[in-house]
Amino acid sequence: MHAVSLIPRTFIERKAGQIIDPVERLRYLQRSAGIRQPRLQPGVPWRKRRLPALGLALFLVCLLIPAYKVDHRVSRQASNAKPGFSLGSLTRVSAAGADVFPDVWLVDKTRDFETYSNGLRIDDRFTAPNQKRLFYPVYQRGAAMADIHADQPEWRSEPAGIVYHTTESDQARFTADENARLKRIGKAVIGVVQQNHSYHFLIDRFGQVFRIVPEGDVANHAGYSIWSDNSVIFVNLNSSFLGIAFETQTQRGDLPSANPAQVHAARVLTEMLRNKYRIPQSNCVTHAQVSVNPDNMLVGYHTDWAGNFPFLAIGLTDNYTAPPPSIYAFGFDYDPVFIHATGVRLWQGLALAEDQMQTQAAARGISVSQYRAILQKKYKEILAALKAVAANDNNHET
C-alpha cells in the first residue's frame, strides 16, 4: 500500500506548475503522492515496465493540475522535451495529449519490396534517387514570432513530418470493367512523378504503395511552404517533411476523396513513418495547410486536401483545427478562393491564427496591419537567407 502524501495540494499544484519539463513534472507528482518507482523486473522490456507508472502519473496530473497556460516563451526550453508532450499549444497535460507512436518493424526486404509488421508493403521498383537530404534549417520560436532570427537557424537532418498530396491526375471510374484503364493511368502517373521526383511515396487507386524518392533524399513536393511544431518553425518543407501523394483528383469543384484501399494504405504507411522517425501527429498535415505564395503573401497557393482529408480514418488527430503558422508567424493572409477550397471544412485554425496574431500585436501596442508588416518582413529575410544557401550549394556542386 502506498503512503499518502501530507504535502498540501495547493503547494503541489504551485510547485508542479513551475516545472517546465513534462517528464520531471510527472516525477514530482509521483513523489508528492507517495508513489514509489516500480522495481525493474529481469527480462521485461523497458517500455512495458514504464507504462503502469506513466499511466498513473498522467492520471494524477489530470486530478491535481486544473489548467496550465503555456506561454510561447517556454517553447525553446521545451524543445528537448520527451516526444509526445505538447507544450506550445496545450493548456493541460493529460493522457489524451500524449502522442503514442505505433510499434512497427521491418519484416522482410527484397530488391523490389519491403514488408512491415502492420501489413504495409512498399513497392521499390520505381524508386528514383534525388538530391541527398544532408541538413535543413529550422527557426526557434520565441516569445513573439517577430523575434525569430533569420540568420541563426538550427540544422537538422531527419524527417520531421508528413505532407499529404493529391496527384490531380486523370481518373477512371473505380469499377471492374474499367480495370485495364485504371492500371494504364496508374502506370502513367508513376512515370510522371518518378521523372519529376515529386513525392517520397505514391498510393495508387488500388491502395498499392510505391516508394518514388528514397526517404533520405529530397522530394520536390512542398515548394514554398511553412509549418511549425511547439519549438521550431519549418520553412520550405521539401527537405524537412516527407511527401505522400494519393492518386486522386478534385472533381469538378468537389473536394478530393480517397477510397477505402487508399485510406488503409495511408494508415499503415503513416504508422511506419511515424514510428521510424518519431513524427508527432501535429506534424502530419495536408499540402493546402502548408502551401504559401510569397508573391502576394497569401496562404493556400496549392489547395490539395484543403478539406475532406481523412485524418481520423488514418489514425491521426484532425489537424484542420490547427492554426497555420504562415498566418501568425509570418503575417500571411487568405482570400475567398481559399475559403471556398476548404468546402464544408472551414478551418477553425484560420480564426485561431488570426486571434493569435491580434494578441501579439496588442502586446506590442501596435495595430494588426503594422504587426503583419513586421512578420512579413521577417519571412522575406528568412526566404532570402534560404535562397543564398541554395545558391552557395549549387556553386559548390558545379
Side-chain angles (χ1 to χ4, degrees):
M1 185 174 182
H2 298 303
V4 177
S5 173
L6 299 178
I7 303 175
R9 172 176 167 173
T10 55
F11 176 82
I12 295 175
E13 293 175 357
R14 186 168 58 253
K15 178 67 175 177
Q18 297 171 353
I19 301 174
I20 299 299
D21 185 88
V23 177
E24 292 301 322
R25 186 185 302 128
L26 293 176
R27 290 173 179 167
Y28 168 77
L29 289 170
Q30 284 181 305
R31 292 194 300 270
S32 300
I35 299 175
R36 300 173 184 172
Q37 296 294 329
R39 294 183 179 179
L40 302 185
Q41 303 173 23
V44 179
W46 175 79
R47 290 187 179 185
K48 291 185 178 180
R49 293 197 299 260
R50 73 174 182 173
L51 286 177
L54 181 58
L56 185 54
L58 287 169
F59 175 72
L60 285 171
V61 172
C62 296
L63 289 179
L64 296 176
I65 305 179
Y68 286 111
K69 295 287 184 180
V70 182
D71 194 292
H72 288 300
R73 287 171 292 188
V74 306
S75 296
R76 185 173 303 189
Q77 301 174 41
S79 60
N80 294 323
K82 301 295 183 183
F85 291 90
S86 175
L87 291 181
S89 58
L90 292 184
T91 57
R92 184 190 300 267
V93 177
S94 68
D99 205 344
V100 179
F101 296 95
D103 189 11
V104 181
W105 63 91
L106 179 66
V107 174
D108 192 22
K109 180 178 176 61
T110 67
R111 184 181 65 178
D112 295 332
F113 295 95
E114 290 179 3
T115 306
Y116 289 83
S117 59
N118 64 347
L120 170 66
R121 189 171 188 259
I122 299 177
D123 189 328
D124 282 322
R125 292 176 298 168
F126 303 95
T127 302
N130 198 24
Q131 176 187 350
K132 289 294 182 183
R133 179 196 302 106
L134 298 178
F135 292 97
Y136 61 85
V138 297
Y139 302 89
Q140 290 288 343
R141 293 176 54 162
M145 296 303 108
D147 297 332
I148 297 170
H149 297 288
D151 58 343
Q152 298 177 12
E154 172 189 335
W155 295 90
R156 297 185 180 180
S157 59
E158 288 290 291
I162 299 170
V163 178
Y164 299 98
H165 303 259
T166 60
T167 59
E168 293 301 317
S169 49
D170 291 338
Q171 301 283 281
R173 288 182 297 107
F174 198 66
T175 56
D177 61 307
E178 291 278 12
N179 205 42
R181 188 170 175 228
L182 285 165
K183 291 192 291 185
R184 184 171 64 252
I185 293 175
K187 185 176 181 179
V189 171
I190 291 175
V192 171
V193 300
Q194 180 190 49
Q195 180 179 358
N196 294 290
H197 303 99
S198 302
Y199 316 105
H200 291 92
F201 297 93
L202 172 68
I203 302 174
D204 76 357
R205 299 287 297 281
F206 301 105
Q208 298 176 104
V209 178
F210 298 91
R211 179 179 277 115
I212 304 300
V213 174
E215 295 149 58
D217 294 359
V218 175
N220 306 320
H221 67 103
Y224 291 116
S225 48
I226 299 168
W227 194 249
S228 173
D229 60 22
N230 294 318
S231 59
V232 299
I233 293 179
F234 306 92
V235 178
N236 294 357
L237 278 56
N238 281 353
S239 295
S240 53
F241 280 46
L242 300 170
I244 298 177
F246 291 71
E247 186 192 347
T248 188
Q249 184 186 61
T250 304
Q251 300 281 355
R252 294 184 296 277
D254 296 332
L255 294 173
S257 62
N259 64 41
Q262 289 178 308
V263 170
H264 172 75
R267 184 184 183 99
V268 292
L269 175 59
T270 298
E271 287 176 349
M272 184 277 286
L273 294 174
R274 290 192 61 232
N275 175 71
K276 185 174 182 178
Y277 299 106
R278 313 315 275 179
I279 294 174
Q281 295 188 57
S282 58
N283 279 0
C284 297
V285 291
T286 72
H287 196 192
Q289 289 178 275
V290 303
S291 177
V292 298
N293 185 347
D295 293 333
N296 58 17
M297 295 301 291
L298 294 178
V299 302
Y301 181 66
H302 293 277
T303 58
D304 40 333
W305 291 125
N308 207 40
F309 185 75
F311 280 111
L312 300 182
I314 291 176
L316 300 169
T317 54
D318 188 348
N319 278 332
Y320 281 129
T321 60
S326 50
I327 296 176
Y328 68 76
F330 294 127
F332 278 79
D333 207 342
Y334 52 91
D335 59 17
V337 174
F338 180 69
I339 296 298
H340 177 73
T342 65
V344 296
R345 299 291 299 277
L346 181 59
W347 294 350
Q348 176 186 343
L350 294 174
L352 292 175
E354 291 285 355
D355 289 345
Q356 188 166 343
M357 189 168 59
Q358 291 175 9
T359 300
Q360 293 177 12
R364 286 177 169 249
I366 59 178
S367 67
V368 172
S369 61
Q370 289 174 314
Y371 189 59
R372 188 187 297 274
I374 293 173
L375 296 180
Q376 291 182 357
K377 180 181 178 182
K378 183 66 63 176
Y379 171 75
K380 291 174 182 177
E381 290 173 356
I382 289 177
L383 195 59
L386 290 174
K387 289 181 177 179
V389 170
N392 184 58
D393 290 343
N394 290 336
N395 290 335
H396 283 303
E397 289 179 2
T398 55

